[in-house]
């Protein structure tokens, strides 16, 4: 499986990094390492996650974030990486 991270999802990672790095130096790096580990797991487990708002949703193991993706053939396309503490209506609107 090939994994493609769209620009919007990449920006979500940058925003999350900045947020956690502002809390305590080094946490931002741990955030990125954790999320990339979760994203890499899609090479084996893509498509098994429940669908929300038309996307498969993988919940991060270490942070309150969800990875929204779609599978097309042998490619996993990550569309968004969003904080689960957001209003669900905001998340739904962001994914449209």
């Amino acid at each position: 499986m090939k994994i493609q991270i769209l620009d919007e999802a990449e920006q979500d990672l940058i925003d999350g990094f900045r947020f956690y790095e502002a809390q305590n130096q080094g946490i931002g790096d741990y955030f990125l390492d954790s999320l990339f580990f979760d994203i890499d797991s899609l090479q084996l487990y893509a498509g098994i996650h429940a669908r929300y708002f038309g996307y498969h949703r993988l919940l991060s193991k270490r942070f309150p974030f969800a990875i929204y993706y779609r599978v097309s053939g042998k490619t996993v396309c990550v569309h968004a990486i969003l904080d689960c503490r957001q209003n669900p209506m905001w998340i739904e609107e962001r994914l449209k």
Side-chain angles (χ1 to χ4, degrees), residues 4-66:
Q4 179 183 13
I5 301 174
L6 297 181
D7 291 340
E8 297 87 7
E10 201 170 298
Q11 186 60 50
D12 294 336
L13 285 170
I14 292 167
D15 294 344
F17 169 82
R18 288 181 180 154
F19 172 79
Y20 283 108
E21 196 64 20
Q23 306 307 308
N24 196 350
Q25 188 175 6
I27 304 268
D29 289 328
Y30 181 62
F31 168 79
L32 289 178
D33 288 344
S34 296
L35 269 290
F36 280 123
F37 181 82
D38 292 330
I39 291 168
D40 286 344
S41 76
L42 292 173
Q43 290 181 342
L44 293 174
Y45 301 112
I48 69 165
H49 305 94
R51 288 180 171 253
Y52 293 88
F53 311 118
Y55 296 88
H56 289 283
R57 182 182 76 175
L58 164 63
L59 297 175
S60 175
K61 303 278 185 272
R62 304 246 185 248
F63 289 88
F65 276 72

Side-chain angles (χ1 to χ4, degrees), residues 49-57 68-71 77 79 92 95-96:
H49 305 94
R51 288 180 171 253
Y52 293 88
F53 311 118
Y55 296 88
H56 289 283
R57 182 182 76 175
Y68 292 89
Y69 69 93
R70 288 187 173 145
V71 179
C77 190
H79 289 264
E92 182 177 16
L95 292 171
K96 286 186 178 178

